[in-house]
Amino acid sequence: MSIIVAGLQKKYGTQLAVNDVSFTLQKGEIVGFLGPNGAGKSTTLKMITGYVKPDAGSISVEGMLVQEHPLAVRKKIGYLPEANPLYYDMYVREYLYFMAGVHKIEEPGEAVERVIQLTGLTREAHKKNGQLSKGYKQRVGLAAALVHNPPVLILDEPTSGLDPNQIIEIREVIRQLGEDKTILFSSHILQEVEAICDRVLILNLGRLVADNRLQQLQASGNDEHVVEVHIKEAVPAEEWNEISGIIRVVMAGSGKYQLHTHQPEAVSKALLQWTVAKGYTLISFKTEQVSLEDVFRNLTTK
Protein backbone atom coordinates (compact mmCIF):
# COMPACT_ATOMS: atom_id res chain seq x y z
CA MET A 1 0.00 0.00 0.00
CA SER A 2 1.22 3.49 -0.82
CA ILE A 3 -0.66 5.22 2.00
CA ILE A 4 -2.11 3.59 5.13
CA VAL A 5 -4.12 5.74 7.54
CA ALA A 6 -5.34 3.99 10.72
CA GLY A 7 -7.46 5.41 13.54
CA LEU A 8 -6.43 9.01 12.85
CA GLN A 9 -7.61 11.57 15.39
CA LYS A 10 -6.99 15.28 15.92
CA LYS A 11 -8.45 17.73 18.43
CA TYR A 12 -8.31 21.52 18.46
CA GLY A 13 -9.27 22.46 22.00
CA THR A 14 -12.56 20.68 22.64
CA GLN A 15 -13.36 20.28 18.95
CA LEU A 16 -12.70 16.84 17.47
CA ALA A 17 -11.64 17.85 13.96
CA VAL A 18 -10.71 14.31 12.78
CA ASN A 19 -12.35 11.36 14.48
CA ASP A 20 -11.04 7.79 14.00
CA VAL A 21 -10.39 8.04 10.24
CA SER A 22 -8.91 5.01 8.45
CA PHE A 23 -8.27 4.26 4.76
CA THR A 24 -5.63 2.89 2.38
CA LEU A 25 -4.46 4.00 -1.07
CA GLN A 26 -2.63 1.90 -3.64
CA LYS A 27 -0.13 2.95 -6.27
CA GLY A 28 -1.84 4.18 -9.43
CA GLU A 29 -5.02 5.28 -7.65
CA ILE A 30 -6.49 8.77 -8.07
CA VAL A 31 -8.79 9.26 -5.08
CA GLY A 32 -11.07 12.22 -4.48
CA PHE A 33 -11.31 13.51 -0.91
CA LEU A 34 -14.62 15.28 -0.34
CA GLY A 35 -16.45 16.95 2.50
CA PRO A 36 -18.14 20.23 3.43
CA ASN A 37 -16.15 23.10 4.91
CA GLY A 38 -14.93 22.18 8.40
CA ALA A 39 -15.20 18.44 7.80
CA GLY A 40 -11.51 17.86 8.56
CA LYS A 41 -10.15 17.35 5.03
CA SER A 42 -7.26 19.82 5.14
CA THR A 43 -6.31 18.71 8.66
CA THR A 44 -6.15 15.10 7.48
CA LEU A 45 -3.99 16.04 4.49
CA LYS A 46 -1.65 18.05 6.73
CA MET A 47 -1.26 15.05 9.03
CA ILE A 48 -0.47 12.73 6.12
CA THR A 49 2.21 15.15 4.91
CA GLY A 50 3.68 15.51 8.40
CA TYR A 51 2.89 19.19 8.91
CA VAL A 52 0.40 18.50 11.73
CA LYS A 53 0.89 15.82 14.39
CA PRO A 54 -2.08 13.52 15.07
CA ASP A 55 -3.32 13.02 18.63
CA ALA A 56 -3.94 9.34 17.92
CA GLY A 57 -3.59 6.82 15.12
CA SER A 58 -0.85 6.11 12.61
CA ILE A 59 0.07 7.09 9.03
CA SER A 60 2.36 5.13 6.73
CA VAL A 61 3.59 6.48 3.38
CA GLU A 62 5.60 4.22 1.07
CA GLY A 63 6.23 1.86 3.98
CA MET A 64 7.46 4.53 6.42
CA LEU A 65 5.62 5.83 9.48
CA VAL A 66 5.16 9.60 9.24
CA GLN A 67 5.54 10.01 13.02
CA GLU A 68 8.94 8.23 13.00
CA HIS A 69 10.40 9.45 9.68
CA PRO A 70 8.77 12.83 8.88
CA LEU A 71 11.58 14.18 6.68
CA ALA A 72 12.04 10.93 4.74
CA VAL A 73 8.28 10.78 4.13
CA ARG A 74 8.17 14.36 2.84
CA LYS A 75 10.72 13.40 0.18
CA LYS A 76 8.21 10.86 -1.09
CA ILE A 77 5.32 13.35 -1.21
CA GLY A 78 4.46 16.22 -3.52
CA TYR A 79 2.14 18.54 -1.60
CA LEU A 80 0.05 21.41 -2.94
CA PRO A 81 -1.68 22.98 0.08
CA GLU A 82 -4.95 24.90 -0.12
CA ALA A 83 -3.16 28.18 0.73
CA ASN A 84 -0.54 27.87 -2.01
CA PRO A 85 2.62 29.45 -0.52
CA LEU A 86 4.84 31.17 -3.10
CA TYR A 87 7.69 33.66 -2.89
CA TYR A 88 6.15 36.48 -4.94
CA ASP A 89 9.46 38.30 -5.57
CA MET A 90 11.01 35.24 -7.23
CA TYR A 91 10.66 34.47 -10.92
CA VAL A 92 8.81 31.27 -11.81
CA ARG A 93 11.87 29.43 -13.12
CA GLU A 94 14.00 30.81 -10.28
CA TYR A 95 11.49 29.58 -7.70
CA LEU A 96 11.38 26.11 -9.22
CA TYR A 97 15.19 25.94 -9.22
CA PHE A 98 15.04 26.92 -5.56
CA MET A 99 12.56 24.11 -4.83
CA ALA A 100 14.77 21.67 -6.76
CA GLY A 101 17.66 22.74 -4.54
CA VAL A 102 15.59 22.14 -1.41
CA HIS A 103 15.07 18.56 -2.61
CA LYS A 104 18.78 18.28 -3.58
CA ILE A 105 17.99 17.20 -7.13
CA GLU A 106 21.17 16.25 -8.99
CA GLU A 107 20.04 17.63 -12.38
CA PRO A 108 17.79 20.57 -11.46
CA GLY A 109 17.68 22.07 -14.97
CA GLU A 110 16.14 18.96 -16.48
CA ALA A 111 13.65 18.61 -13.61
CA VAL A 112 12.58 22.27 -13.76
CA GLU A 113 12.03 22.32 -17.53
CA ARG A 114 10.08 19.05 -17.29
CA VAL A 115 7.54 20.42 -14.78
CA ILE A 116 7.31 23.80 -16.57
CA GLN A 117 6.27 22.01 -19.73
CA LEU A 118 4.04 19.53 -17.92
CA THR A 119 2.04 22.23 -16.09
CA GLY A 120 1.82 24.63 -19.05
CA LEU A 121 4.03 27.37 -17.59
CA THR A 122 6.32 27.89 -20.59
CA ARG A 123 4.89 31.30 -21.56
CA GLU A 124 4.85 32.55 -17.95
CA ALA A 125 8.22 31.21 -16.73
CA HIS A 126 9.95 34.59 -17.23
CA LYS A 127 7.52 36.39 -14.88
CA LYS A 128 7.62 36.85 -11.14
CA ASN A 129 5.21 34.71 -9.14
CA GLY A 130 3.51 37.86 -7.85
CA GLN A 131 2.68 38.93 -11.42
CA LEU A 132 0.74 35.77 -12.21
CA SER A 133 -3.02 35.25 -12.17
CA LYS A 134 -4.40 32.97 -9.47
CA GLY A 135 -4.72 30.14 -11.97
CA TYR A 136 -1.06 30.33 -12.99
CA LYS A 137 0.00 30.58 -9.34
CA GLN A 138 -1.78 27.26 -8.85
CA ARG A 139 0.22 25.84 -11.75
CA VAL A 140 3.47 27.00 -10.14
CA GLY A 141 2.43 25.34 -6.88
CA LEU A 142 1.68 22.10 -8.74
CA ALA A 143 5.02 22.30 -10.57
CA ALA A 144 6.82 22.78 -7.24
CA ALA A 145 5.03 19.70 -5.86
CA LEU A 146 6.21 17.68 -8.87
CA VAL A 147 9.77 18.91 -9.30
CA HIS A 148 11.32 16.05 -7.28
CA ASN A 149 9.15 13.46 -9.06
CA PRO A 150 7.54 12.01 -5.90
CA PRO A 151 5.58 8.74 -5.92
CA VAL A 152 2.75 10.28 -3.86
CA LEU A 153 0.83 13.51 -4.58
CA ILE A 154 -1.37 15.26 -2.01
CA LEU A 155 -3.35 18.05 -3.69
CA ASP A 156 -5.65 20.36 -1.74
CA GLU A 157 -7.99 22.16 -4.16
CA PRO A 158 -5.56 21.93 -7.12
CA THR A 159 -7.92 23.60 -9.65
CA SER A 160 -8.86 26.55 -7.46
CA GLY A 161 -8.86 29.78 -9.48
CA LEU A 162 -8.42 28.09 -12.86
CA ASP A 163 -10.65 28.95 -15.82
CA PRO A 164 -12.54 26.11 -17.60
CA ASN A 165 -9.80 25.57 -20.21
CA GLN A 166 -7.10 25.47 -17.54
CA ILE A 167 -9.15 23.04 -15.45
CA ILE A 168 -9.36 20.64 -18.41
CA GLU A 169 -5.59 20.91 -18.95
CA ILE A 170 -4.74 20.29 -15.27
CA ARG A 171 -7.26 17.45 -15.19
CA GLU A 172 -5.37 15.77 -18.01
CA VAL A 173 -2.05 16.33 -16.19
CA ILE A 174 -3.46 14.66 -13.07
CA ARG A 175 -4.72 11.73 -15.16
CA GLN A 176 -1.28 11.23 -16.69
CA LEU A 177 0.43 11.44 -13.31
CA GLY A 178 -2.03 8.90 -11.89
CA GLU A 179 -0.66 6.20 -14.16
CA ASP A 180 2.35 5.65 -11.91
CA LYS A 181 1.70 7.76 -8.80
CA THR A 182 -0.70 7.67 -5.87
CA ILE A 183 -2.84 10.81 -5.88
CA LEU A 184 -5.15 12.03 -3.13
CA PHE A 185 -6.82 15.32 -3.85
CA SER A 186 -9.43 17.42 -2.16
CA SER A 187 -11.95 19.40 -4.19
CA HIS A 188 -15.27 21.17 -3.87
CA ILE A 189 -15.87 20.76 -7.60
CA LEU A 190 -17.70 17.45 -7.73
CA GLN A 191 -17.62 17.35 -11.54
CA GLU A 192 -13.81 17.27 -11.30
CA VAL A 193 -13.94 14.26 -9.03
CA GLU A 194 -16.40 12.48 -11.34
CA ALA A 195 -14.16 13.22 -14.34
CA ILE A 196 -10.87 12.08 -12.78
CA CYS A 197 -11.49 9.62 -9.94
CA ASP A 198 -12.54 6.00 -9.76
CA ARG A 199 -12.75 6.12 -5.97
CA VAL A 200 -14.08 8.66 -3.47
CA LEU A 201 -13.62 9.31 0.25
CA ILE A 202 -16.22 11.55 1.92
CA LEU A 203 -15.59 13.15 5.32
CA ASN A 204 -18.30 14.74 7.44
CA LEU A 205 -17.86 16.25 10.91
CA GLY A 206 -14.47 14.59 11.21
CA ARG A 207 -15.70 11.07 10.37
CA LEU A 208 -15.26 9.08 7.19
CA VAL A 209 -18.82 8.47 5.97
CA ALA A 210 -18.00 6.92 2.58
CA ASP A 211 -15.11 5.05 0.96
CA ASN A 212 -16.08 3.38 -2.27
CA ARG A 213 -15.63 3.17 -6.02
CA LEU A 214 -17.46 6.02 -7.72
CA GLN A 215 -19.92 3.82 -9.59
CA GLN A 216 -20.76 1.82 -6.48
CA LEU A 217 -21.21 5.00 -4.49
CA GLN A 218 -23.60 6.39 -7.08
CA ALA A 219 -25.48 3.08 -7.13
CA SER A 220 -25.88 3.13 -3.33
CA GLY A 221 -29.05 4.22 -1.62
CA ASN A 222 -31.08 1.24 -2.89
CA ASP A 223 -30.41 2.04 -6.55
CA GLU A 224 -32.02 5.44 -6.46
CA HIS A 225 -32.45 7.07 -9.86
CA VAL A 226 -33.40 10.52 -11.07
CA VAL A 227 -35.95 11.18 -13.84
CA GLU A 228 -35.13 14.65 -15.17
CA VAL A 229 -38.23 16.33 -16.57
CA HIS A 230 -38.74 19.57 -18.51
CA ILE A 231 -42.37 20.72 -18.69
CA LYS A 232 -43.48 23.95 -20.37
CA GLU A 233 -46.13 24.77 -17.75
CA ALA A 234 -45.57 25.29 -14.01
CA VAL A 235 -46.61 22.20 -12.02
CA PRO A 236 -48.04 22.71 -8.50
CA ALA A 237 -46.00 20.74 -5.98
CA GLU A 238 -48.95 18.73 -4.70
CA GLU A 239 -49.74 17.34 -8.17
CA TRP A 240 -46.54 15.26 -8.23
CA ASN A 241 -48.15 13.11 -5.50
CA GLU A 242 -50.45 11.74 -8.23
CA ILE A 243 -47.53 9.77 -9.72
CA SER A 244 -46.78 6.66 -7.68
CA GLY A 245 -43.16 5.79 -6.91
CA ILE A 246 -41.69 9.29 -6.59
CA ILE A 247 -39.58 9.69 -3.42
CA ARG A 248 -39.09 13.45 -3.73
CA VAL A 249 -39.13 16.22 -6.32
CA VAL A 250 -36.33 18.77 -6.66
CA MET A 251 -36.67 21.97 -8.69
CA ALA A 252 -33.80 22.23 -11.20
CA GLY A 253 -34.71 25.47 -12.99
CA SER A 254 -37.63 27.03 -14.81
CA GLY A 255 -39.97 24.18 -15.72
CA LYS A 256 -37.31 21.60 -14.87
CA TYR A 257 -37.76 18.97 -12.18
CA GLN A 258 -35.76 16.04 -10.81
CA LEU A 259 -37.95 13.12 -9.78
CA HIS A 260 -36.08 10.82 -7.38
CA THR A 261 -37.30 7.22 -7.46
CA HIS A 262 -36.39 3.56 -6.99
CA GLN A 263 -38.67 2.66 -9.93
CA PRO A 264 -37.46 4.72 -12.91
CA GLU A 265 -39.21 2.68 -15.60
CA ALA A 266 -42.59 2.71 -13.83
CA VAL A 267 -42.33 6.43 -13.04
CA SER A 268 -41.31 7.27 -16.62
CA LYS A 269 -44.29 5.35 -18.02
CA ALA A 270 -46.68 6.95 -15.52
CA LEU A 271 -45.19 10.39 -16.25
CA LEU A 272 -46.04 10.14 -19.95
CA GLN A 273 -49.64 9.15 -19.21
CA TRP A 274 -49.95 11.79 -16.49
CA THR A 275 -48.76 14.70 -18.67
CA VAL A 276 -51.24 13.74 -21.40
CA ALA A 277 -54.10 13.49 -18.88
CA LYS A 278 -53.18 16.84 -17.32
CA GLY A 279 -52.68 18.59 -20.64
CA TYR A 280 -49.07 19.50 -19.84
CA THR A 281 -46.48 20.01 -22.59
CA LEU A 282 -43.62 17.60 -21.97
CA ILE A 283 -40.50 19.08 -23.59
CA SER A 284 -38.03 16.37 -22.54
CA PHE A 285 -37.20 13.76 -19.93
CA LYS A 286 -34.35 11.37 -19.25
CA THR A 287 -33.41 8.87 -16.55
CA GLU A 288 -30.07 8.78 -14.76
CA GLN A 289 -28.57 7.29 -11.63
CA VAL A 290 -28.15 9.70 -8.75
CA SER A 291 -25.19 12.02 -9.23
CA LEU A 292 -22.20 12.34 -6.93
CA GLU A 293 -23.71 15.64 -5.83
CA ASP A 294 -26.88 13.85 -4.65
CA VAL A 295 -24.82 11.24 -2.77
CA PHE A 296 -22.66 13.97 -1.22
CA ARG A 297 -25.69 15.93 -0.01
CA ASN A 298 -27.33 12.84 1.44
CA LEU A 299 -24.20 11.86 3.37
CA THR A 300 -23.23 15.33 4.64
CA THR A 301 -26.59 16.82 5.59
CA LYS A 302 -27.78 14.04 7.89
Side-chain angles (χ1 to χ4, degrees):
M1 294 292 177
S2 216
I3 298 176
I4 302 174
V5 174
L8 207 58
Q9 189 175 101
K10 183 65 182 178
K11 277 187 177 181
Y12 292 112
T14 58
Q15 181 183 358
L16 194 56
V18 177
N19 186 4
D20 194 25
V21 169
S22 300
F23 58 84
T24 61
L25 274 67
Q26 297 181 7
K27 182 180 178 180
E29 276 195 304
I30 304 178
V31 178
F33 197 34
L34 306 179
N37 289 331
K41 303 187 304 299
S42 292
T43 298
T44 301
L45 298 183
K46 288 175 183 176
M47 286 191 285
I48 294 173
T49 53
Y51 289 95
V52 171
K53 290 184 178 180
D55 295 324
S58 64
I59 307 160
S60 173
V61 176
E62 293 289 296
M64 295 180 291
L65 287 172
V66 175
Q67 294 94 320
E68 295 180 3
H69 308 282
L71 292 179
V73 166
R74 288 179 192 177
K75 293 179 181 179
K76 299 290 185 180
I77 294 177
Y79 179 39
L80 175 60
E82 184 178 11
N84 180 14
L86 298 176
Y87 292 113
Y88 283 2
D89 288 336
M90 296 182 76
Y91 293 93
V92 171
R93 187 173 272 106
E94 177 189 14
Y95 173 71
L96 293 175
Y97 267 95
F98 168 73
M99 294 303 297
V102 169
H103 289 288
K104 299 180 179 179
I105 296 174
E106 292 184 0
E107 297 182 3
E110 182 179 331
V112 168
E113 296 308 317
R114 173 180 57 83
V115 295
I116 284 177
Q117 184 175 3
L118 182 63
T119 56
L121 283 167
T122 303
R123 292 190 303 173
E124 307 295 318
H126 66 286
K127 295 182 180 179
K128 287 186 176 182
N129 288 328
Q131 296 175 313
L132 301 177
S133 67
K134 185 177 180 181
Y136 275 105
K137 288 173 182 172
Q138 283 295 97
R139 289 178 183 234
V140 175
L142 181 57
L146 290 168
V147 73
H148 58 301
N149 196 25
V152 175
L153 283 178
I154 305 293
L155 310 176
D156 200 352
E157 300 289 342
T159 57
S160 175
L162 273 61
D163 65 37
N165 289 330
Q166 292 173 331
I167 287 174
I168 292 172
E169 292 169 4
I170 295 299
R171 179 192 301 170
E172 186 57 33
V173 170
I174 293 173
R175 275 206 200 96
Q176 292 175 10
L177 294 170
E179 293 178 4
D180 62 353
K181 297 184 187 298
T182 303
I183 301 178
L184 177 64
F185 79 95
S186 165
S187 179
H188 283 109
I189 305 174
L190 301 185
Q191 293 89 340
E192 282 301 292
V193 175
E194 288 182 303
I196 298 173
C197 301
D198 291 324
R199 181 176 160 213
V200 175
L201 308 174
I202 299 180
L203 208 64
N204 188 42
L205 299 175
R207 285 188 173 276
L208 194 65
V209 294
D211 177 1
N212 215 331
R213 310 297 293 181
L214 183 59
Q215 290 183 340
Q216 293 172 331
L217 197 60
Q218 290 175 314
S220 63
N222 298 322
D223 294 328
E224 186 174 311
H225 288 70
V226 175
V227 180
E228 296 186 355
V229 185
H230 189 184
I231 294 177
K232 183 177 180 181
E233 299 82 9
V235 179
E238 62 274 9
E239 289 192 7
W240 291 111
N241 295 328
E242 299 172 11
I243 301 178
S244 178
I246 295 177
I247 302 170
R248 63 184 179 279
V249 179
V250 179
M251 284 289 297
S254 179
K256 296 180 180 180
Y257 307 87
Q258 293 179 341
L259 314 181
H260 289 248
T261 178
H262 297 315
Q263 303 168 301
E265 293 183 5
V267 167
S268 297
K269 183 177 180 180
L271 174 68
L272 294 173
Q273 298 172 343
W274 177 80
T275 51
V276 171
K278 287 287 187 178
Y280 288 135
T281 305
L282 180 62
I283 298 174
S284 66
F285 82 97
K286 62 180 180 178
T287 302
E288 295 182 346
Q289 275 192 327
V290 292
S291 67
L292 181 58
E293 180 178 353
D294 293 317
V295 174
F296 179 85
R297 285 178 57 83
N298 289 338
L299 290 171
T300 59
T301 56
K302 292 181 181 178

